[in-house]
PDB file of all heavy atoms in Angstrom:
ATOM      1  N   SER M   1     124.068 108.699  93.068  1.00 90.00           N
ATOM      2  CA  SER M   1     123.356 109.245  92.009  1.00 90.00           C
ATOM      3  C   SER M   1     122.886 108.353  91.011  1.00 90.00           C
ATOM      4  O   SER M   1     121.772 108.538  90.417  1.00 90.00           O
ATOM      5  CB  SER M   1     124.536 110.212  91.184  1.00 90.00           C
ATOM      6  OG  SER M   1     125.437 109.425  90.626  1.00 90.00           O
ATOM      7  N   THR M   2     123.544 107.063  90.791  1.00 92.00           N
ATOM      8  CA  THR M   2     122.910 106.171  89.888  1.00 92.00           C
ATOM      9  C   THR M   2     121.554 105.581  90.450  1.00 92.00           C
ATOM     10  O   THR M   2     120.603 105.451  89.819  1.00 92.00           O
ATOM     11  CB  THR M   2     123.827 104.922  89.776  1.00 92.00           C
ATOM     12  OG1 THR M   2     125.160 105.472  89.099  1.00 92.00           O
ATOM     13  CG2 THR M   2     123.326 103.909  88.813  1.00 92.00           C
ATOM     14  N   ILE M   3     121.595 105.343  91.742  1.00 93.00           N
ATOM     15  CA  ILE M   3     120.292 104.887  92.348  1.00 93.00           C
ATOM     16  C   ILE M   3     119.253 105.727  92.278  1.00 93.00           C
ATOM     17  O   ILE M   3     118.107 105.509  91.969  1.00 93.00           O
ATOM     18  CB  ILE M   3     120.624 104.480  93.738  1.00 93.00           C
ATOM     19  CG1 ILE M   3     121.449 103.141  93.877  1.00 93.00           C
ATOM     20  CG2 ILE M   3     119.327 104.154  94.494  1.00 93.00           C
ATOM     21  CD1 ILE M   3     122.067 102.723  95.181  1.00 93.00           C
ATOM     22  N   ILE M   4     119.515 107.169  92.375  1.00 90.00           N
ATOM     23  CA  ILE M   4     118.482 108.092  92.385  1.00 90.00           C
ATOM     24  C   ILE M   4     117.973 108.209  91.072  1.00 90.00           C
ATOM     25  O   ILE M   4     116.870 108.419  90.723  1.00 90.00           O
ATOM     26  CB  ILE M   4     119.146 109.471  92.982  1.00 90.00           C
ATOM     27  CG1 ILE M   4     119.268 109.369  94.463  1.00 90.00           C
ATOM     28  CG2 ILE M   4     118.208 110.657  92.547  1.00 90.00           C
ATOM     29  CD1 ILE M   4     120.167 110.538  94.985  1.00 90.00           C
ATOM     30  N   ARG M   5     118.874 108.177  90.074  1.00 92.00           N
ATOM     31  CA  ARG M   5     118.476 108.271  88.617  1.00 92.00           C
ATOM     32  C   ARG M   5     117.619 107.049  88.240  1.00 92.00           C
ATOM     33  O   ARG M   5     116.569 107.305  87.630  1.00 92.00           O
ATOM     34  CB  ARG M   5     119.693 108.365  87.743  1.00 92.00           C
ATOM     35  CG  ARG M   5     119.359 108.622  86.255  1.00 92.00           C
ATOM     36  CD  ARG M   5     120.626 108.888  85.390  1.00 92.00           C
ATOM     37  NE  ARG M   5     121.620 107.818  85.526  1.00 92.00           N
ATOM     38  CZ  ARG M   5     122.732 107.875  86.091  1.00 92.00           C
ATOM     39  NH1 ARG M   5     123.154 109.018  86.753  1.00 92.00           N
ATOM     40  NH2 ARG M   5     123.502 106.821  86.063  1.00 92.00           N
ATOM     41  N   GLN M   6     117.921 105.882  88.651  1.00 95.00           N
ATOM     42  CA  GLN M   6     117.195 104.750  88.325  1.00 95.00           C
ATOM     43  C   GLN M   6     115.831 104.740  89.064  1.00 95.00           C
ATOM     44  O   GLN M   6     114.747 104.358  88.481  1.00 95.00           O
ATOM     45  CB  GLN M   6     118.014 103.389  88.784  1.00 95.00           C
ATOM     46  CG  GLN M   6     119.066 103.075  87.864  1.00 95.00           C
ATOM     47  CD  GLN M   6     119.886 101.951  88.384  1.00 95.00           C
ATOM     48  OE1 GLN M   6     119.939 101.557  89.590  1.00 95.00           O
ATOM     49  NE2 GLN M   6     120.821 101.379  87.554  1.00 95.00           N
ATOM     50  N   ASN M   7     115.803 105.342  90.245  1.00 95.00           N
ATOM     51  CA  ASN M   7     114.525 105.455  90.978  1.00 95.00           C
ATOM     52  C   ASN M   7     113.597 106.375  90.242  1.00 95.00           C
ATOM     53  O   ASN M   7     112.422 106.098  90.081  1.00 95.00           O
ATOM     54  CB  ASN M   7     114.756 105.897  92.424  1.00 95.00           C
ATOM     55  CG  ASN M   7     113.503 106.019  93.221  1.00 95.00           C
ATOM     56  OD1 ASN M   7     112.806 105.088  93.288  1.00 95.00           O
ATOM     57  ND2 ASN M   7     113.332 107.160  93.834  1.00 95.00           N
ATOM     58  N   ARG M   8     114.082 107.381  89.739  1.00 95.00           N
ATOM     59  CA  ARG M   8     113.354 108.357  88.923  1.00 95.00           C
ATOM     60  C   ARG M   8     112.689 107.845  87.625  1.00 95.00           C
ATOM     61  O   ARG M   8     111.567 107.936  87.260  1.00 95.00           O
ATOM     62  CB  ARG M   8     114.050 109.668  88.567  1.00 95.00           C
ATOM     63  CG  ARG M   8     114.392 110.599  89.772  1.00 95.00           C
ATOM     64  CD  ARG M   8     115.161 111.767  89.383  1.00 95.00           C
ATOM     65  NE  ARG M   8     115.327 112.634  90.465  1.00 95.00           N
ATOM     66  CZ  ARG M   8     116.416 113.362  90.731  1.00 95.00           C
ATOM     67  NH1 ARG M   8     117.364 113.434  89.795  1.00 95.00           N
ATOM     68  NH2 ARG M   8     116.670 114.051  91.666  1.00 95.00           N
ATOM     69  N   SER M   9     113.565 106.977  87.064  1.00 95.00           N
ATOM     70  CA  SER M   9     113.129 106.235  85.945  1.00 95.00           C
ATOM     71  C   SER M   9     111.999 105.305  86.247  1.00 95.00           C
ATOM     72  O   SER M   9     110.873 105.221  85.460  1.00 95.00           O
ATOM     73  CB  SER M   9     114.256 105.596  85.149  1.00 95.00           C
ATOM     74  OG  SER M   9     113.832 104.922  84.078  1.00 95.00           O
ATOM     75  N   LEU M  10     112.228 104.524  87.253  1.00 97.00           N
ATOM     76  CA  LEU M  10     111.181 103.588  87.679  1.00 97.00           C
ATOM     77  C   LEU M  10     109.828 104.236  88.036  1.00 97.00           C
ATOM     78  O   LEU M  10     108.809 103.859  87.822  1.00 97.00           O
ATOM     79  CB  LEU M  10     111.585 102.769  88.966  1.00 97.00           C
ATOM     80  CG  LEU M  10     112.729 101.738  88.567  1.00 97.00           C
ATOM     81  CD1 LEU M  10     113.265 101.007  89.728  1.00 97.00           C
ATOM     82  CD2 LEU M  10     112.089 100.654  87.618  1.00 97.00           C
ATOM     83  N   MET M  11     110.000 105.403  88.686  1.00 97.00           N
ATOM     84  CA  MET M  11     108.771 106.245  89.064  1.00 97.00           C
ATOM     85  C   MET M  11     107.995 106.634  87.876  1.00 97.00           C
ATOM     86  O   MET M  11     106.828 106.575  87.792  1.00 97.00           O
ATOM     87  CB  MET M  11     109.118 107.307  89.944  1.00 97.00           C
ATOM     88  CG  MET M  11     109.523 106.937  91.253  1.00 97.00           C
ATOM     89  SD  MET M  11     108.474 106.146  92.272  1.00 97.00           S
ATOM     90  CE  MET M  11     107.282 107.452  92.733  1.00 97.00           C
ATOM     91  N   ARG M  12     108.731 107.112  86.826  1.00 97.00           N
ATOM     92  CA  ARG M  12     108.109 107.493  85.562  1.00 97.00           C
ATOM     93  C   ARG M  12     107.372 106.286  84.975  1.00 97.00           C
ATOM     94  O   ARG M  12     106.282 106.520  84.449  1.00 97.00           O
ATOM     95  CB  ARG M  12     109.064 108.093  84.482  1.00 97.00           C
ATOM     96  CG  ARG M  12     109.522 109.547  84.915  1.00 97.00           C
ATOM     97  CD  ARG M  12     110.207 110.208  83.719  1.00 97.00           C
ATOM     98  NE  ARG M  12     111.479 109.445  83.380  1.00 97.00           N
ATOM     99  CZ  ARG M  12     112.692 109.638  83.936  1.00 97.00           C
ATOM    100  NH1 ARG M  12     112.779 110.584  84.973  1.00 97.00           N
ATOM    101  NH2 ARG M  12     113.678 109.054  83.626  1.00 97.00           N
ATOM    102  N   THR M  13     107.950 105.244  84.899  1.00 97.00           N
ATOM    103  CA  THR M  13     107.408 104.021  84.272  1.00 97.00           C
ATOM    104  C   THR M  13     106.203 103.540  85.033  1.00 97.00           C
ATOM    105  O   THR M  13     105.135 103.278  84.428  1.00 97.00           O
ATOM    106  CB  THR M  13     108.429 102.802  84.307  1.00 97.00           C
ATOM    107  OG1 THR M  13     109.616 103.282  83.572  1.00 97.00           O
ATOM    108  CG2 THR M  13     108.008 101.562  83.683  1.00 97.00           C
ATOM    109  N   MET M  14     106.186 103.599  86.383  1.00 97.00           N
ATOM    110  CA  MET M  14     105.155 103.289  87.294  1.00 97.00           C
ATOM    111  C   MET M  14     103.928 104.121  86.943  1.00 97.00           C
ATOM    112  O   MET M  14     102.749 103.753  86.853  1.00 97.00           O
ATOM    113  CB  MET M  14     105.574 103.355  88.774  1.00 97.00           C
ATOM    114  CG  MET M  14     104.423 102.850  89.520  1.00 97.00           C
ATOM    115  SD  MET M  14     104.930 102.898  91.302  1.00 97.00           S
ATOM    116  CE  MET M  14     104.592 104.681  91.571  1.00 97.00           C
ATOM    117  N   ARG M  15     104.301 105.517  86.836  1.00 97.00           N
ATOM    118  CA  ARG M  15     103.103 106.522  86.536  1.00 97.00           C
ATOM    119  C   ARG M  15     102.514 106.221  85.146  1.00 97.00           C
ATOM    120  O   ARG M  15     101.288 106.280  85.077  1.00 97.00           O
ATOM    121  CB  ARG M  15     103.691 107.920  86.698  1.00 97.00           C
ATOM    122  CG  ARG M  15     103.978 108.321  88.038  1.00 97.00           C
ATOM    123  CD  ARG M  15     104.322 109.811  88.044  1.00 97.00           C
ATOM    124  NE  ARG M  15     104.837 110.149  89.415  1.00 97.00           N
ATOM    125  CZ  ARG M  15     106.154 110.356  89.643  1.00 97.00           C
ATOM    126  NH1 ARG M  15     106.983 110.377  88.755  1.00 97.00           N
ATOM    127  NH2 ARG M  15     106.499 110.691  90.868  1.00 97.00           N
ATOM    128  N   ALA M  16     103.344 105.794  84.175  1.00 97.00           N
ATOM    129  CA  ALA M  16     102.786 105.492  82.878  1.00 97.00           C
ATOM    130  C   ALA M  16     101.963 104.275  82.905  1.00 97.00           C
ATOM    131  O   ALA M  16     100.885 104.381  82.298  1.00 97.00           O
ATOM    132  CB  ALA M  16     103.948 105.324  81.927  1.00 97.00           C
ATOM    133  N   LEU M  17     102.402 103.206  83.706  1.00 97.00           N
ATOM    134  CA  LEU M  17     101.599 102.066  83.704  1.00 97.00           C
ATOM    135  C   LEU M  17     100.299 102.250  84.464  1.00 97.00           C
ATOM    136  O   LEU M  17      99.292 101.614  84.191  1.00 97.00           O
ATOM    137  CB  LEU M  17     102.477 100.886  84.393  1.00 97.00           C
ATOM    138  CG  LEU M  17     103.574 100.289  83.670  1.00 97.00           C
ATOM    139  CD1 LEU M  17     104.489  99.283  84.446  1.00 97.00           C
ATOM    140  CD2 LEU M  17     102.976  99.656  82.354  1.00 97.00           C
ATOM    141  N   MET M  18     100.333 103.157  85.487  1.00 97.00           N
ATOM    142  CA  MET M  18      99.101 103.478  86.299  1.00 97.00           C
ATOM    143  C   MET M  18      98.156 104.120  85.271  1.00 97.00           C
ATOM    144  O   MET M  18      96.806 103.812  85.372  1.00 97.00           O
ATOM    145  CB  MET M  18      99.377 104.315  87.489  1.00 97.00           C
ATOM    146  CG  MET M  18     100.033 103.482  88.522  1.00 97.00           C
ATOM    147  SD  MET M  18      99.171 102.232  89.358  1.00 97.00           S
ATOM    148  CE  MET M  18      97.843 103.052  90.051  1.00 97.00           C
ATOM    149  N   GLY M  19      98.614 105.004  84.526  1.00 97.00           N
ATOM    150  CA  GLY M  19      97.706 105.686  83.629  1.00 97.00           C
ATOM    151  C   GLY M  19      97.146 104.704  82.590  1.00 97.00           C
ATOM    152  O   GLY M  19      95.939 104.837  82.320  1.00 97.00           O
ATOM    153  N   LEU M  20      98.013 103.921  82.038  1.00 97.00           N
ATOM    154  CA  LEU M  20      97.571 102.848  81.131  1.00 97.00           C
ATOM    155  C   LEU M  20      96.349 101.953  81.824  1.00 97.00           C
ATOM    156  O   LEU M  20      95.436 101.637  81.242  1.00 97.00           O
ATOM    157  CB  LEU M  20      98.655 101.944  80.565  1.00 97.00           C
ATOM    158  CG  LEU M  20      98.327 100.864  79.621  1.00 97.00           C
ATOM    159  CD1 LEU M  20      97.682 101.442  78.438  1.00 97.00           C
ATOM    160  CD2 LEU M  20      99.504 100.059  79.319  1.00 97.00           C
ATOM    161  N   HIS M  21      96.602 101.547  83.074  1.00 97.00           N
ATOM    162  CA  HIS M  21      95.803 100.777  83.856  1.00 97.00           C
ATOM    163  C   HIS M  21      94.386 101.476  83.939  1.00 97.00           C
ATOM    164  O   HIS M  21      93.359 100.905  83.780  1.00 97.00           O
ATOM    165  CB  HIS M  21      96.373 100.563  85.153  1.00 97.00           C
ATOM    166  CG  HIS M  21      95.601  99.663  86.050  1.00 97.00           C
ATOM    167  ND1 HIS M  21      96.099  98.344  86.404  1.00 97.00           N
ATOM    168  CD2 HIS M  21      94.373  99.667  86.582  1.00 97.00           C
ATOM    169  CE1 HIS M  21      95.207  97.822  87.230  1.00 97.00           C
ATOM    170  NE2 HIS M  21      94.085  98.495  87.255  1.00 97.00           N
ATOM    171  N   ILE M  22      94.363 102.780  84.289  1.00 97.00           N
ATOM    172  CA  ILE M  22      93.170 103.601  84.305  1.00 97.00           C
ATOM    173  C   ILE M  22      92.420 103.581  83.033  1.00 97.00           C
ATOM    174  O   ILE M  22      91.254 103.551  82.959  1.00 97.00           O
ATOM    175  CB  ILE M  22      93.505 104.949  84.946  1.00 97.00           C
ATOM    176  CG1 ILE M  22      93.893 104.914  86.330  1.00 97.00           C
ATOM    177  CG2 ILE M  22      92.260 105.934  84.802  1.00 97.00           C
ATOM    178  CD1 ILE M  22      94.477 106.070  86.980  1.00 97.00           C
ATOM    179  N   VAL M  23      93.195 103.769  81.890  1.00 97.00           N
ATOM    180  CA  VAL M  23      92.508 103.817  80.498  1.00 97.00           C
ATOM    181  C   VAL M  23      91.943 102.511  80.284  1.00 97.00           C
ATOM    182  O   VAL M  23      90.819 102.369  79.726  1.00 97.00           O
ATOM    183  CB  VAL M  23      93.574 104.138  79.511  1.00 97.00           C
ATOM    184  CG1 VAL M  23      93.133 103.855  78.101  1.00 97.00           C
ATOM    185  CG2 VAL M  23      93.960 105.631  79.697  1.00 97.00           C
ATOM    186  N   LEU M  24      92.564 101.270  80.645  1.00 97.00           N
ATOM    187  CA  LEU M  24      92.026 100.009  80.382  1.00 97.00           C
ATOM    188  C   LEU M  24      90.843  99.741  81.228  1.00 97.00           C
ATOM    189  O   LEU M  24      89.823  99.177  80.704  1.00 97.00           O
ATOM    190  CB  LEU M  24      93.113  98.969  80.596  1.00 97.00           C
ATOM    191  CG  LEU M  24      94.285  98.840  79.580  1.00 97.00           C
ATOM    192  CD1 LEU M  24      95.331  97.892  80.017  1.00 97.00           C
ATOM    193  CD2 LEU M  24      93.740  98.553  78.132  1.00 97.00           C
ATOM    194  N   ILE M  25      90.793 100.138  82.454  1.00 97.00           N
ATOM    195  CA  ILE M  25      89.620  99.994  83.282  1.00 97.00           C
ATOM    196  C   ILE M  25      88.432 100.793  82.682  1.00 97.00           C
ATOM    197  O   ILE M  25      87.327 100.322  82.572  1.00 97.00           O
ATOM    198  CB  ILE M  25      89.790 100.411  84.809  1.00 97.00           C
ATOM    199  CG1 ILE M  25      90.890  99.402  85.480  1.00 97.00           C
ATOM    200  CG2 ILE M  25      88.652 100.561  85.453  1.00 97.00           C
ATOM    201  CD1 ILE M  25      91.323  99.887  86.770  1.00 97.00           C
ATOM    202  N   GLY M  26      88.704 101.971  82.149  1.00 96.00           N
ATOM    203  CA  GLY M  26      87.696 102.795  81.684  1.00 96.00           C
ATOM    204  C   GLY M  26      87.244 102.083  80.314  1.00 96.00           C
ATOM    205  O   GLY M  26      85.928 102.122  80.063  1.00 96.00           O
ATOM    206  N   LEU M  27      87.981 101.528  79.543  1.00 97.00           N
ATOM    207  CA  LEU M  27      87.646 100.860  78.266  1.00 97.00           C
ATOM    208  C   LEU M  27      86.756  99.687  78.603  1.00 97.00           C
ATOM    209  O   LEU M  27      85.703  99.479  77.973  1.00 97.00           O
ATOM    210  CB  LEU M  27      88.874 100.489  77.511  1.00 97.00           C
ATOM    211  CG  LEU M  27      88.689  99.692  76.180  1.00 97.00           C
ATOM    212  CD1 LEU M  27      87.815 100.565  75.297  1.00 97.00           C
ATOM    213  CD2 LEU M  27      89.933  99.265  75.548  1.00 97.00           C
ATOM    214  N   VAL M  28      87.198  98.802  79.532  1.00 96.00           N
ATOM    215  CA  VAL M  28      86.332  97.719  79.980  1.00 96.00           C
ATOM    216  C   VAL M  28      85.059  98.091  80.510  1.00 96.00           C
ATOM    217  O   VAL M  28      83.972  97.488  80.189  1.00 96.00           O
ATOM    218  CB  VAL M  28      87.156  96.932  81.092  1.00 96.00           C
ATOM    219  CG1 VAL M  28      86.244  95.831  81.746  1.00 96.00           C
ATOM    220  CG2 VAL M  28      88.456  96.181  80.357  1.00 96.00           C
ATOM    221  N   ALA M  29      84.950  99.145  81.402  1.00 96.00           N
ATOM    222  CA  ALA M  29      83.743  99.584  81.834  1.00 96.00           C
ATOM    223  C   ALA M  29      82.875 100.114  80.645  1.00 96.00           C
ATOM    224  O   ALA M  29      81.576  99.793  80.676  1.00 96.00           O
ATOM    225  CB  ALA M  29      84.021 100.801  82.865  1.00 96.00           C
ATOM    226  N   PHE M  30      83.453 100.813  79.783  1.00 96.00           N
ATOM    227  CA  PHE M  30      82.713 101.342  78.540  1.00 96.00           C
ATOM    228  C   PHE M  30      82.138 100.063  77.747  1.00 96.00           C
ATOM    229  O   PHE M  30      80.843 100.053  77.320  1.00 96.00           O
ATOM    230  CB  PHE M  30      83.539 102.182  77.685  1.00 96.00           C
ATOM    231  CG  PHE M  30      82.843 102.592  76.394  1.00 96.00           C
ATOM    232  CD1 PHE M  30      81.836 103.582  76.304  1.00 96.00           C
ATOM    233  CD2 PHE M  30      83.241 101.888  75.197  1.00 96.00           C
ATOM    234  CE1 PHE M  30      81.256 103.885  75.169  1.00 96.00           C
ATOM    235  CE2 PHE M  30      82.723 102.315  73.970  1.00 96.00           C
ATOM    236  CZ  PHE M  30      81.681 103.164  73.959  1.00 96.00           C
ATOM    237  N   LEU M  31      82.979  99.125  77.581  1.00 96.00           N
ATOM    238  CA  LEU M  31      82.335  97.845  76.700  1.00 96.00           C
ATOM    239  C   LEU M  31      81.306  97.167  77.533  1.00 96.00           C
ATOM    240  O   LEU M  31      80.398  96.706  76.963  1.00 96.00           O
ATOM    241  CB  LEU M  31      83.718  96.986  76.460  1.00 96.00           C
ATOM    242  CG  LEU M  31      84.682  97.504  75.467  1.00 96.00           C
ATOM    243  CD1 LEU M  31      85.935  96.609  75.463  1.00 96.00           C
ATOM    244  CD2 LEU M  31      84.062  97.748  74.136  1.00 96.00           C
ATOM    245  N   VAL M  32      81.528  97.063  78.790  1.00 96.00           N
ATOM    246  CA  VAL M  32      80.480  96.399  79.569  1.00 96.00           C
ATOM    247  C   VAL M  32      79.240  97.044  79.474  1.00 96.00           C
ATOM    248  O   VAL M  32      78.086  96.549  79.251  1.00 96.00           O
ATOM    249  CB  VAL M  32      80.963  96.164  81.145  1.00 96.00           C
ATOM    250  CG1 VAL M  32      79.659  95.804  81.868  1.00 96.00           C
ATOM    251  CG2 VAL M  32      82.061  95.106  81.229  1.00 96.00           C
ATOM    252  N   TYR M  33      79.321  98.525  79.571  1.00 94.00           N
ATOM    253  CA  TYR M  33      78.000  99.268  79.529  1.00 94.00           C
ATOM    254  C   TYR M  33      77.418  99.127  78.160  1.00 94.00           C
ATOM    255  O   TYR M  33      76.094  99.074  78.009  1.00 94.00           O
ATOM    256  CB  TYR M  33      78.543 100.724  79.731  1.00 94.00           C
ATOM    257  CG  TYR M  33      77.414 101.822  79.471  1.00 94.00           C
ATOM    258  CD1 TYR M  33      76.367 101.959  80.478  1.00 94.00           C
ATOM    259  CD2 TYR M  33      77.334 102.550  78.185  1.00 94.00           C
ATOM    260  CE1 TYR M  33      75.397 102.816  80.130  1.00 94.00           C
ATOM    261  CE2 TYR M  33      76.404 103.344  78.042  1.00 94.00           C
ATOM    262  CZ  TYR M  33      75.320 103.481  78.909  1.00 94.00           C
ATOM    263  OH  TYR M  33      74.351 104.429  78.665  1.00 94.00           O
ATOM    264  N   ARG M  34      78.258  99.038  77.074  1.00 94.00           N
ATOM    265  CA  ARG M  34      77.692  98.991  75.759  1.00 94.00           C
ATOM    266  C   ARG M  34      77.047  97.612  75.527  1.00 94.00           C
ATOM    267  O   ARG M  34      76.037  97.572  74.850  1.00 94.00           O
ATOM    268  CB  ARG M  34      78.721  99.175  74.570  1.00 94.00           C
ATOM    269  CG  ARG M  34      79.282 100.643  74.639  1.00 94.00           C
ATOM    270  CD  ARG M  34      78.382 101.647  74.149  1.00 94.00           C
ATOM    271  NE  ARG M  34      78.409 101.458  72.661  1.00 94.00           N
ATOM    272  CZ  ARG M  34      77.500 102.182  71.851  1.00 94.00           C
ATOM    273  NH1 ARG M  34      76.736 102.838  72.320  1.00 94.00           N
ATOM    274  NH2 ARG M  34      77.552 101.892  70.547  1.00 94.00           N
ATOM    275  N   LEU M  35      77.614  96.566  76.058  1.00 94.00           N
ATOM    276  CA  LEU M  35      77.026  95.149  75.894  1.00 94.00           C
ATOM    277  C   LEU M  35      75.780  95.096  76.711  1.00 94.00           C
ATOM    278  O   LEU M  35      74.899  94.324  76.235  1.00 94.00           O
ATOM    279  CB  LEU M  35      78.046  94.220  76.407  1.00 94.00           C
ATOM    280  CG  LEU M  35      79.248  93.943  75.549  1.00 94.00           C
ATOM    281  CD1 LEU M  35      80.264  92.879  76.129  1.00 94.00           C
ATOM    282  CD2 LEU M  35      78.716  93.280  74.218  1.00 94.00           C
ATOM    283  N   LEU M  36      75.562  95.788  77.868  1.00 93.00           N
ATOM    284  CA  LEU M  36      74.492  95.701  78.697  1.00 93.00           C
ATOM    285  C   LEU M  36      73.326  96.554  78.156  1.00 93.00           C
ATOM    286  O   LEU M  36      72.123  96.378  78.753  1.00 93.00           O
ATOM    287  CB  LEU M  36      74.804  95.848  80.112  1.00 93.00           C
ATOM    288  CG  LEU M  36      75.749  94.915  80.725  1.00 93.00           C
ATOM    289  CD1 LEU M  36      76.104  95.238  82.162  1.00 93.00           C
ATOM    290  CD2 LEU M  36      75.058  93.469  80.644  1.00 93.00           C
ATOM    291  N   THR M  37      73.586  97.502  77.350  1.00 86.00           N
ATOM    292  CA  THR M  37      72.363  98.422  76.891  1.00 86.00           C
ATOM    293  C   THR M  37      72.070  98.280  75.561  1.00 86.00           C
ATOM    294  O   THR M  37      72.570  97.624  74.703  1.00 86.00           O
ATOM    295  CB  THR M  37      72.992  99.937  77.025  1.00 86.00           C
ATOM    296  OG1 THR M  37      73.989 100.171  76.313  1.00 86.00           O
ATOM    297  CG2 THR M  37      73.065 100.170  78.498  1.00 86.00           C
TER     298      THR M  37
END
């Protein structure tokens, strides 16, 4: 049960980091677009 609980916690953290990663990629793409136009 401890391993299962820890796994769930790690999965939530991973999903949050993936979401942050996507937001950062979007921000970088937006900044590149603004610099080139």
Side-chain angles (χ1 to χ4, degrees):
S1 66
T2 299
I3 290 169
I4 290 168
R5 189 173 56 253
Q6 289 174 345
N7 184 49
R8 287 181 182 148
S9 176
L10 287 172
M11 292 299 289
R12 280 193 300 273
T13 302
M14 186 181 74
R15 287 185 193 108
L17 289 173
M18 289 297 291
L20 181 61
H21 188 117
I22 291 169
V23 168
L24 288 174
I25 289 173
L27 180 61
V28 168
F30 174 75
L31 291 174
V32 169
Y33 172 77
R34 293 291 282 175
L35 286 173
L36 295 177
T37 59

